């Protein structure tokens, strides 16, 4: 099971999209299910408890692997969705769960009101981290197959920001495999229409993060995929540097031999210098107390 989180402003548009042909409402809370119109009215009525919140529409898509198809009933989907919402801190609010059957993999849409039953705003902080952790725990609890990442995503069905995000992901991943350093990576992905920008710590040259741009859209590296953060890419490039340097050394034995001979000569020279050089002798300074006592003794002898 994996989750995709979206926020919006219009309950009407979101409900209209979710309740399309062949959709199936499998659960709801705090809503009249007479029609799409009454559902939207109820969402908007509660929304007025906190009219200052612009993006009051919470929309989550839970998707399962095709290997889980035989074990997925409506009850299992609702049960896992409720646990997911609880782990995300989404509770005491209206929600609608709708199952779609238009794709190979089973998935449900959850619409919830970010204005809860008491007029308070449901926090959206650290959503991606909490969602990743929740999905991992629920996959283990229910025995769902863990996602294999982005390689099995059908790129042809993607649109808008999702399409751009995956184009960036594919370009950067290919660039990492074919680059030895940041400069080469930057040139490689630019050829494929992707620009790279570093984020620096205020007032310093220390790189704090990274983002990528394509088709006028900009995304943080970690927002595209956890493996595209600055730290992860830097580690991957360093690893490739080491492997390529080893391969280069195997292909150029003569150059390697010369380098080894030079290093050996420098080492021998250093050892010879250390063995045969005469160190500078610094005279030992006399203790001031002893010096003063000797001076008194000489004075008495002269008397």
């Amino acid at each position: 099971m994996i989750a995709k989180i979206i926020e919006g402003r219009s309950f009407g548009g979101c409900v209209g999209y979710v309740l399309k042909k062949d959709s199936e409402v499998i659960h709801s809370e705090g809503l009249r299910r007479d029609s799409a119109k009454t559902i939207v009215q109820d969402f908007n009525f509660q929304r007025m408890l906190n009219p200052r919140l612009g993006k009051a529409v919470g929309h989550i898509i839970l998707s399962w692997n095709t290997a889980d198809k035989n074990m997925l009933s409506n009850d299992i989907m609702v049960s896992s969705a409720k646990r997911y919402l609880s782990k995300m801190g989404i509770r005491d609010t209206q929600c609608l769960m709708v199952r779609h059957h238009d794709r190979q993999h089973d998935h449900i849409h959850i619409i919830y009101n970010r204005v809860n039953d008491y007029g308070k705003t449901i926090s959206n902080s650290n959503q991606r981290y909490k969602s990743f952790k929740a999905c991992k725990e629920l996959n283990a609890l229910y025995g769902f197959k863990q996602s294999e990442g982005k390689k099995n995503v059908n790129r042809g069905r993607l649109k808008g920001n999702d399409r751009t995000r995956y184009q960036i992901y594919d370009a950067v991943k290919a660039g990492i495999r074919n680059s030895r350093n940041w400069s080469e990576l930057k040139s490689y992905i630019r050829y494929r229409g992707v620009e790279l920008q570093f984020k620096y710590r205020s007032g310093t040259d220390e790189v704090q993060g990274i983002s990528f741009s394509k088709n006028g859209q900009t995304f943080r590296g970690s927002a595209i995929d956890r493996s595209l953060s600055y730290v992860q890419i830097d580690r991957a490039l360093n690893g490739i540097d080491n492997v390529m340097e080893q391969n280069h050394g195997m292909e150029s034995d003569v150059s390697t031999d010369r380098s080894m001979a030079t290093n050996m000569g420098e080492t021998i020279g250093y050892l010879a210098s250390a063995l045969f050089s005469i160190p500078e002798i610094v005279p030992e300074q006399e203790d001031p107390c002893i010096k003063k006592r000797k001076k008194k003794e000489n004075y008495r002898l002269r008397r």
Side-chain angles (χ1 to χ4, degrees), residues 4-72:
K4 178 181 178 182
I5 302 172
I6 308 168
E7 289 181 0
R9 299 177 182 275
S10 171
F11 280 110
C14 191
V15 171
Y17 169 76
V18 168
L19 293 179
K20 60 184 180 180
K21 186 179 179 181
D22 296 329
S23 64
E24 180 183 3
V25 177
I26 59 176
H27 179 74
S28 68
E29 290 183 20
L31 301 167
R32 293 170 294 163
R33 290 165 52 173
D34 303 334
S35 65
K37 183 177 180 180
T38 59
I39 292 173
V40 173
Q41 286 175 345
D42 290 345
F43 270 130
N44 284 328
F45 181 76
Q46 181 158 307
R47 179 183 196 167
M48 294 309 296
L49 295 175
N50 189 353
R52 292 178 298 176
L53 181 62
K55 292 186 176 182
V57 182
H59 182 191
I60 297 171
I61 306 169
L62 294 181
S63 303
W64 284 262
N65 196 291
T66 52
D68 297 327
K69 196 172 189 67
N70 293 333
M71 64 185 297
L72 290 174

